[in-house]
Amino acid sequence: MHMAQIFYDIALKGITIHRVNFRSNVVHTEDVVVSFSLSIPDGEIRSALDAGKLSYFTSNALDTPMPGNSLSAVASIYFIDLVPIKEHMLEARRVLKPGGLFINFGPLRYMRGDVANMLSGEEILDLYSQSGFDILAHDVVPNTQLASSQVITSVHSNNFVFVARKR
Ligand SMILES: C[S@@+](CC[C@H](N)C(=O)[O-])C[C@H]1O[C@@H](n2cnc3c(N)ncnc32)[C@H](O)[C@@H]1O
């Protein structure tokens, strides 16, 4: 709910946020609290918002209020390793139109839940292929989280990325 509120605050008026860095991770004391101004600039996203074509809501991703066969794409970001993967796949398959895309980006850093859901990348691709999807692309893409010029260490992740099209 907090992220949804921030989305609308940024969309409506722009906001200033303050990131608090651990003292153990900065050289300069002035870098403990760093301010950022966030707003949505003019462009496609601004136009879609102003036209009422873009909105944000929260729900259980395993049981969404979206009708079946209604979406062109589902993006699952830093999420597939947090929820029971088969339930997530079944809900994405339900809401996607035929030809709709499921796009995954995130690490496979399973930390809780049933070990039966802790699939390797290849097992995930097999699950989708055997459940009515064609795999269009897959890769491992590195990124760095929480990096900035002020902090000393940040988190490096290798992310499992794939795009699956509902048949
Ligand atoms: C690692 S965060 C990623 C958030 C976002 N996708 C991003 O990249 O910043 C995972 C989020 O999933 C939420 N979450 C966990 N289980 C969920 C579920 N069943 N339905 C919807 N959200 C869930 C958590 O509360 C958390 O906000």
Side-chain angles (χ1 to χ4, degrees), residues 126-144:
D126 284 347
L127 170 70
Y128 277 75
S129 302
Q130 290 162 16
S131 306
F133 288 86
D134 292 319
I135 306 297
L136 302 187
H138 63 91
D139 205 347
V140 174
V141 176
N143 77 340
T144 308

Side-chain angles (χ1 to χ4, degrees), residues 3 59-62 77-79 82-83 112:
M3 291 176 91
S59 81
N60 180 356
L62 308 178
I77 314 295
Y78 274 72
F79 190 62
L82 291 179
V83 288
R112 60 178 188 206

Side-chain angles (χ1 to χ4, degrees), residues 19 30 63 71 81-82 86 111 120 136 153 158 166:
R19 189 181 66 214
E30 67 187 34
D63 182 18
L71 300 182
D81 53 355
L82 291 179
K86 289 173 195 158
M111 283 186 265
S120 68
L136 302 187
T153 60
N158 285 320
K166 180 174 159 181

Side-chain angles (χ1 to χ4, degrees), residues 59-144:
S59 81
N60 180 356
L62 308 178
D63 182 18
T64 71
M66 303 306 293
N69 299 313
S70 64
L71 300 182
S72 306
V74 170
S76 181
I77 314 295
Y78 274 72
F79 190 62
I80 205 166
D81 53 355
L82 291 179
V83 288
I85 192 164
K86 289 173 195 158
E87 286 180 49
H88 184 33
M89 180 276 296
L90 288 172
E91 179 64 0
R93 189 176 73 179
R94 185 186 73 78
V95 298
L96 280 170
K97 298 174 188 169
L101 299 180
F102 179 81
I103 302 157
N104 185 73
F105 186 98
L108 302 178
R109 196 183 291 143
Y110 303 109
M111 283 186 265
R112 60 178 188 206
D114 189 337
V115 288
N117 288 316
M118 298 180 182
L119 304 186
S120 68
E122 283 177 353
E123 288 169 334
I124 293 170
L125 298 182
D126 284 347
L127 170 70
Y128 277 75
S129 302
Q130 290 162 16
S131 306
F133 288 86
D134 292 319
I135 306 297
L136 302 187
H138 63 91
D139 205 347
V140 174
V141 176
N143 77 340
T144 308

